[in-house]
C-alpha cells in the first residue's frame, strides 16, 4: 500500500480545465508533492516562470513529458526531431526533472518498415544521449502498449526498452507505465532485470471495455490492473520513487472538477496502489 506522500501528478490528468499555473496551485492546495508537466503546458506560461513556480511550491519533478518521436520520412525530419530533443533535454535540466520521458515515435508517414523505424529510434536516442549526459539529464524510454506501435511508439515492451538501455548505456533508463505493460507475461522478470534503471512509475487503470485507444484511461482501482503487485515488483527492483498519476480521459475525468479529481487521486494512491 502506497502513502499519499508518494503521489505525483502528471499534468495531463487535469490539463483540460486547468493551465499549468492552476495545476501547481492545485498541487499545493491538495498537498501533492510531485509533478510531471508536459512541454506545451510549460511553454504556455514560460520555462523560467514554470521553474520558479515549481521551486516555490517545493514540488519534486518526477519527469518532463516528453521527448522522442525520432523516426521521420527524411533526413531533414530526423534532424528536426534531434533538435527538438536537445531542447527538451535543456528544459528538463532547467526544471530539475528526474528524467525526460521518451515516447519514441512510430512509423513515418507512408512507411511499413517497423524494423527501420526501430533503428531510427535507436540512432535518435544515441544521438540525444551525449547531450543529456552533459546536461545531467536522464532519459527514460517509456514502452507503450503495442496498439500504439504505428503512430506513437514502436518500443512496446519493457524487455525491448531494456535491450536499448543495455546497448546504449549510462544515462538511459525506463519509465514503467502500468497501462502499457500490465498485460506482458514477461513483466515481472523484466522489472527485476531493469533494477535501478527504472526512472519513473506511472499509474492509472485499464478499463473494460476501453472505449477509446488514447483517451479512456481509468482511475486507479476502477479497472483490471493489479497495480500493487507491479508497485511491489518495482520496489523490489530498487525503485523507491513516486507514483505518478497519468490519466487521459476525455469523457470522464477531464470533464470533472479538477479539485474533485485530485482529492480522489489522493485516496486511490493509498487504496489502489
Ligand atoms: Zn506514462
Amino acid at each position: 500500500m502506497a502513502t499519499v506522500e508518494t503521489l505525483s501528478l502528471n499534468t495531463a490528468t487535469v490539463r483540460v480545465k486547468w493551465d499549468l499555473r492552476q495545476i501547481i496551485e492545485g498541487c499545493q492546495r491538495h498537498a501533492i508533492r510531485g509533478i510531471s508537466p508536459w512541454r506545451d503546458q510549460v511553454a504556455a506560461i514560460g520555462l523560467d516562470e514554470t521553474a520558479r513556480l515549481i521551486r516555490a511550491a517545493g514540488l519534486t519533478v518526477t519527469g518532463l513529458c516528453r521527448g522522442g518521436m525520432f523516426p521521420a520520412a527524411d533526413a531533414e525530419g530526423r534532424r528536426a526531431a534531434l533538435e527538438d530533443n536537445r531542447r527538451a533535454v535543456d528544459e528538463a535540466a532547467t526544471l530539475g526533472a528526474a528524467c525526460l520521458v521518451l515516447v519514441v515515435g512510430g512509423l513515418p508517414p507512408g512507411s511499413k518498415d517497423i524494423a527501420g523505424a526501430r533503428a531510427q529510434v535507436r540512432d535518435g536516442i544515441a544521438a540525444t544521449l551525449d547531450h543529456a549526459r552533459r546536461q545531467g539529464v536522464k532519459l527514460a524510454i517509456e514502452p507503450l502498449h503495442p496498439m500504439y506501435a504505428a503512430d506513437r511508439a514502436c518500443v512496446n515492451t519493457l524487455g525491448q526498452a531494456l535491450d536499448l538501455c543495455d546497448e546504449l548505456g549510462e544515462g538511459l533508463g525506463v519509465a514503467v507505465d502500468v497501462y502499457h505493460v500490465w498485460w506482458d507475461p514477461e513483466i515481472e522478470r523484466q522489472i527485476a532485470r531493469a533494477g535501478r534503471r527504472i526512472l519513473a512509475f506511472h499509474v492509472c487503470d485499464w478499463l473494460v471495455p476501453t472505449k477509446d485507444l488514447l483517451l479512456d484511461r481509468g482511475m486507479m482501482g476502477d479497472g483490471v490492473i493489479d497495480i500493487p503487485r507491479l508497485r511491489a515488483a518495482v520496489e523490489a527492483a530498487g525503485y523507491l520513487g513516486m507514483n505518478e498519476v497519468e490519466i487521459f480521459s476525455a469523457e470522464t475525468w477531464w470533464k470533472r472538477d479538477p479539485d474533485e479529481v485530485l482529492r480522489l487521486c489522493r485516496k486511490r494512491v493509498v487504496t489502489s496502489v
Side-chain angles (χ1 to χ4, degrees), residues 10 65 101 142 144 175-177 180 202-203 217 244 246 248:
N10 185 295
C65 294
V101 173
E142 181 166 355
L144 297 201
V176 175
D177 186 324
H180 296 299
H202 299 175
V203 295
R217 299 191 190 188
E244 182 180 318
E246 181 183 33
F248 300 173

